[in-house]
Amino acid sequence: MYPVAYFDAASSEPLHPQAREALLAAIDAGWADPARLYGAARRAHLLLEQARTDVAEALGARPDEVSFTASGTQAVHLGVLGTLHGRRRAGRHLVTSAVEHSSVLHAGQVHEREGGTVETVGVDLSGRVDLARFAEAVAAPGTALACLQTANHEVGTTQPVAEAAGACRAHGVPLLVDAAQTAGRMPIPPGWSVLAASAHKWGGPAGVGVLAVRKGTRFRSFLPEDERERRRVPGFENVPAVVAAAAALRAVRAEAEREQARLSALVDRIRARVKETVPDVEVIGDPVGRAPHIVTFSCLYVDGEALLTELDKAGFAVSSGSSCTASTLRPSHVLEAMGVLTHGNVRVSLPRRTRADEVDAFLAALPDLVRRIRQDAGVA
């Protein structure tokens, strides 16, 4: 059973009903090894390849460019390190934005430990990368790969992917695009060479990621060779989960234009009302150039974890725009890079079918909860 109002779709979208139906059917029909030749295996193979075709169409790719991974994080790791490995002769320099997902940053750290270099390009107050600086960075000799997300996972700001891809193309540098927050919700910008996405972000089951590598992009897996998934991803494919992921992607794409316009209007309501009703609050991210379902705000003099706990008690499941935890006290690298308030953050990310009355109930409850926490802290 879900909470009264689930507002954490940026972490994981609830399973789409069509994904559930497809998963149950594929458990019975797609359990066999799709690499074998007997009847049950051929059925599994057909299901897997039809799912691959559907996902490829949604991403603007060819089916033979698409591989399935165990998660979006694994897709990023394989995409970054596999492309760098394949392009070692071109150079060992990696370019990223300062607000990429931690999976990109962690892959960059591995690259640095192995002798490569990483250049991190800054962003403005809205979280958008400095495009001129990004273009300058990819022009540097020895640049092997650049990485840029479609939209930020913490604040929702969209990135100038098509323009960045043009700069990369001019200098013969492949661009890896992390499309986790927008695949299925928004059109994929053109020009990418490698793309990563995650099925549970669009209403598919957890445990399915997508790695797409364009033909002509030099890619070599850094893992022991395996014949599965175009030799890019080792291990047995989870055919039922992949089938369910493709079913969810088909379904959300069919309703995307209508549903995302509706969610965007609800986010606009949150952005406006929070500023009107909560003193000392900063709404973060671009108000227009953003993913339609994400809004983040920071409340001064408020402990973020305390606010999330109180909201949970009130029936609202939200997360923090900050990765700060009690154990590390390390604020979000995204918010730090933007130069905004890094504590007291709330990220609201609306799943499909979010109702206006749920949003209104959240907006009605929030001011009093913030006031009480400030009073307890002696700052109200």
Side-chain angles (χ1 to χ4, degrees):
M1 180 177 179
Y2 295 125
V4 173
Y6 177 78
F7 292 160
D8 196 22
S11 293
S12 191
E13 178 86 10
L15 191 67
H16 196 286
Q18 292 192 28
R20 184 185 301 275
E21 293 179 11
L23 178 64
L24 294 175
I27 286 173
D28 291 331
W31 55 268
D33 185 346
R36 305 306 173 193
L37 298 178
Y38 41 81
R42 291 197 300 273
R43 285 194 297 273
H45 177 77
L46 289 173
L47 287 171
L48 177 63
E49 294 311 311
Q50 182 58 58
R52 195 186 313 277
T53 297
D54 292 343
V55 170
E57 179 184 358
L59 299 179
R62 292 171 27 163
D64 60 354
E65 294 173 333
V66 170
S67 298
F68 295 108
T69 68
S71 67
T73 293
Q74 187 189 51
V76 167
H77 290 168
L78 291 170
V80 171
L81 297 175
T83 308
L84 288 169
H85 191 41
R87 285 179 46 82
R88 286 175 69 96
R89 292 184 179 180
R92 306 209 61 198
H93 189 56
L94 170 66
V95 174
T96 77
S97 85
V99 294
E100 295 302 304
H101 188 268
S102 59
S103 57
V104 173
L105 304 186
H106 293 160
Q109 290 167 5
V110 170
H111 179 58
E112 285 184 306
R113 288 198 296 268
E114 294 178 348
T117 57
V118 178
E119 182 171 357
T120 303
V121 180
V123 297
D124 61 19
L125 277 172
S126 73
R128 185 165 289 108
V129 72
D130 183 333
L131 183 60
R133 185 70 193 90
F134 194 89
E136 181 182 341
V138 300
T143 302
L145 176 66
C147 300
L148 188 63
Q149 59 196 187
T150 53
N152 186 260
H153 50 291
E154 292 191 21
V155 302
T157 299
T158 53
Q159 300 292 351
V161 172
E163 294 85 349
C168 289
R169 185 167 52 251
H171 298 285
V173 175
L175 177 66
L176 182 147
V177 169
D178 174 9
Q181 287 302 332
T182 61
R185 297 180 185 274
M186 303 172 70
I188 301 294
W192 56 268
S193 300
V194 183
L195 182 142
S198 183
H200 72 100
K201 306 289 188 181
W202 68 61
V208 179
V210 176
L211 172 65
V213 181
R214 289 285 194 206
K215 288 292 183 184
T217 302
R218 295 188 65 84
F219 180 94
R220 184 179 178 186
S221 176
F222 57 95
L223 298 174
E225 187 170 290
D226 188 282
E227 293 184 355
R228 304 273 176 173
E229 291 303 296
R230 277 66 179 169
R231 301 182 185 273
R232 298 183 194 128
V233 187
F236 194 96
E237 300 94 343
N238 187 345
V239 175
V242 167
V243 169
L249 187 55
R250 289 195 303 269
V252 298
R253 286 186 70 216
E255 63 186 17
E257 185 174 352
R258 177 184 68 255
E259 184 67 1
Q260 298 312 314
R262 195 179 67 81
L263 294 181
S264 187
L266 292 176
V267 164
D268 285 338
R269 185 184 307 181
I270 296 171
R271 294 183 67 94
R273 290 291 294 160
V274 165
K275 286 188 289 188
E276 293 171 358
T277 60
V278 180
D280 298 314
V281 68
E282 180 180 15
V283 181
I284 300 169
D286 195 295
V288 178
R290 58 173 176 80
H293 61 303
I294 299 175
V295 54
T296 296
F297 55 89
S298 298
C299 302
L300 195 62
Y301 313 123
V302 170
D303 178 82
E305 290 187 4
L307 182 53
L308 298 187
T309 299
E310 291 305 311
L311 284 167
D312 182 46
K313 291 177 182 177
F316 303 101
V318 300
S319 63
S320 176
S322 169
S323 61
C324 180
T325 65
S327 60
T328 65
L329 297 179
R330 173 65 179 173
S332 158
H333 71 276
V334 169
L335 303 182
E336 279 191 326
M338 293 170 62
V340 298
L341 188 62
T342 59
H343 293 276
N345 308 111
V346 175
R347 181 185 68 182
V348 177
S349 50
L350 306 180
R352 58 182 294 275
R353 303 296 172 88
T354 296
R355 303 191 312 271
D357 65 292
E358 294 175 311
V359 170
D360 289 339
F362 171 80
L363 291 170
L366 180 68
D368 187 56
L369 294 177
V370 172
R371 179 185 57 79
R372 281 162 38 195
I373 292 171
R374 286 172 173 165
Q375 281 182 337
D376 291 343
V379 294

